Amino acid sequence: MVTRILLYLQYFLGRLLYHIRGHDAGQIIRTSAFENLPLSNMQLEATECGPSGSSMLPHHTCLAADNNGSFPELRWTPPPKVEVKEYILISEDIDPPIPRFVVMHGLFYAIPPTITGVLPSDTEQGRNTREHVTRSGWRYVPNLLGSSYIGPAPPLGHGAHRYIFTIVALSQSIWLDHSQRVSQKQITKAMIGKVVGWGQWVGHFERPWPS
């Protein structure tokens, strides 16, 4: 009985805050690092889900058996006529019920230029979580939960959220002091003058009423 009451309260709050969404201006491509390349020149695909704008599958979300969700399988094409030195990959929720706030679900960098796709295992944390390195040797910026990635989990009643997956190609590798925790702000600042390509895939997910 208490659980059901809490569900109704969550749903009511989600509906009450429904109009707070659409923080598109806060996504990474709106930062100064992209001033010289405002339009996408790369194609990013989610092979499991379908074209951009498709719904994310249950195992990618909070509905997964682990309540976390796995990173969707992605594929991308390198930007034309440029030499890529490093890729950066980020997942953002631009529809949380908090004014002007974008939730970073996962941010990975130091992805080798020979890589043109990602599997769920590539984004999983390595054994030494203090080093913030994935099982594939990529580096990551911890999200709000301190992990490498967390799947979509919008509030009950707040409707469908858009989850923006962005691949960024750099003409130079970024160098940061890894003896201390690296932030998303440091990453975006280090990208300035180096962005030579980017592409996006958008996934949708709405938390259903628990069965």
Side-chain angles (χ1 to χ4, degrees), residues 36-153:
N36 295 326
L37 192 65
L39 300 179
S40 169
N41 63 348
M42 295 175 62
Q43 184 175 359
L44 181 62
E45 299 177 332
T47 53
E48 296 176 278
C49 303
S52 184
S54 298
S55 296
M56 299 190 70
L57 302 179
H59 65 271
H60 296 143
T61 74
C62 59
L63 301 182
D66 63 357
N67 298 318
N68 182 82
S70 61
F71 203 92
E73 184 175 335
L74 300 176
R75 292 285 181 270
W76 61 82
T77 55
K81 301 179 182 179
V82 294
E83 184 178 2
V84 178
K85 294 295 186 180
E86 178 181 335
Y87 286 111
I88 291 176
L89 181 61
I90 184 171
S91 171
E92 301 171 291
D93 176 1
I94 60 174
D95 291 316
I98 304 173
R100 297 182 296 279
F101 185 70
V102 170
V103 178
M104 185 272 285
H105 282 247
L107 173 53
F108 307 91
Y109 63 105
I111 302 175
T114 54
I115 302 296
T116 56
V118 54
L119 297 173
S121 58
D122 292 324
T123 63
E124 294 176 359
Q125 296 175 180
R127 291 185 177 181
N128 188 347
T129 57
R130 291 184 179 180
E131 293 183 357
H132 300 149
V133 176
T134 71
R135 291 173 57 183
S136 291
W138 306 349
R139 292 193 173 275
Y140 69 88
V141 175
N143 53 37
L144 290 175
L145 298 183
S147 63
S148 60
Y149 178 72
I150 184 169

